[in-house]
Amino acid sequence: MYEKSLIIIKPDGVQRSLVGTVINRFENAGLKIHAMKLQNVAAEQSKKHYSEHVGKAFYPTVEEYITSGPVMVFVLGGVSAIKKIRAMVGATEPASALPGTIRGDFAHQSYPAPGEPDDKPIRNLIHASATPDEAAAEIAIWFSEDELVDYDKVTDQQVSFK
Ligand code: CDP
Ligand code: MG
């Protein structure tokens, strides 16, 4: 089934000039860009986006992280796109994210160091919707309907190589 997913390159990804590298991976995988914008994130927007985490002990650090600088937010589409993109993104904790995934290749962090309090956000470079319900809710939080562009690409066509 054709699905759309909401992706955010978080402030560390923008600061480290990894926007092109990350988007290149998704385009190479055949995913279609439906919308894209660079923006700062207000605390209110963070609370909407992370509504399932507001109230958890780690939430304040996550809000501090996502509001710390501009993010690149976009919508990608493709067959089974949500699962495919999550596989490309990798596990939440960079230290556990497999090599070859975006988090595994670019987001490794060395803190908190042993003995340090675990009071820092997990800076893992990228967000991607986890389920179809989450994707629908997140796309509506970040984009209005008229900002989503539907179009055909040449690679959408069935061709014969006879
Ligand atoms: O992003 P993902 O869906 O993989 O993970 P999540 O469990 O939905 O958590 C959302 C985000 O909150 C993570 O990507 C981390 O940046 C952050 N987080 C954190 O800083 N500390 C935690 N203990 C859990 C999540
Ligand atoms: Mg999540």
Side-chain angles (χ1 to χ4, degrees):
M1 198 172 81
Y2 193 92
E3 297 171 338
K4 289 178 183 167
S5 181
L6 189 280
I7 319 300
I8 303 171
I9 301 177
K10 298 181 182 182
D12 47 341
V14 174
Q15 292 299 319
R16 291 172 56 204
S17 303
L18 288 169
V19 170
T21 299
V22 169
I23 290 169
N24 198 28
R25 287 190 174 210
F26 291 128
E27 283 200 298
N28 284 344
L31 293 152
K32 190 187 292 186
I33 299 168
H34 289 283
M36 185 172 290
K37 62 186 167 190
L38 183 76
Q39 68 166 84
N40 286 306
V41 182
E44 197 181 309
Q45 181 84 345
S46 171
K47 288 186 178 73
K48 280 192 208 163
H49 176 76
Y50 285 123
S51 57
E52 65 165 318
H53 298 308
V54 173
K56 293 184 187 169
F58 66 83
Y59 178 74
T61 65
V62 172
E63 182 178 296
E64 195 184 329
Y65 170 33
I66 200 73
T67 62
S68 65
V71 299
M72 185 66 85
V73 50
F74 50 104
V75 175
L76 293 176
V79 172
S80 303
I82 294 166
K83 201 170 161 202
K84 175 71 180 281
I85 292 165
R86 287 285 290 195
M88 291 176 70
V89 162
T92 303
E93 285 192 85
S96 316
L98 293 177
T101 65
I102 293 166
R103 287 168 171 170
D105 286 351
F106 299 112
H108 191 81
Q109 65 179 38
S110 55
Y111 60 83
E116 267 189 359
D118 188 5
D119 62 354
K120 297 187 177 69
I122 299 169
R123 285 194 171 78
N124 51 13
L125 202 86
I126 186 164
H127 166 86
S129 306
T131 65
D133 284 350
E134 194 175 285
E138 291 177 353
I139 291 168
I141 288 169
W142 292 91
F143 290 98
S144 60
E145 260 179 44
D146 62 2
E147 288 178 307
L148 295 170
V149 181
D150 284 312
Y151 59 104
D152 291 327
K153 292 177 81 168
V154 286
T155 43
D156 291 338
Q157 313 301 319
Q158 288 245 314
V159 294
S160 162
F161 294 108
K162 274 193 292 199

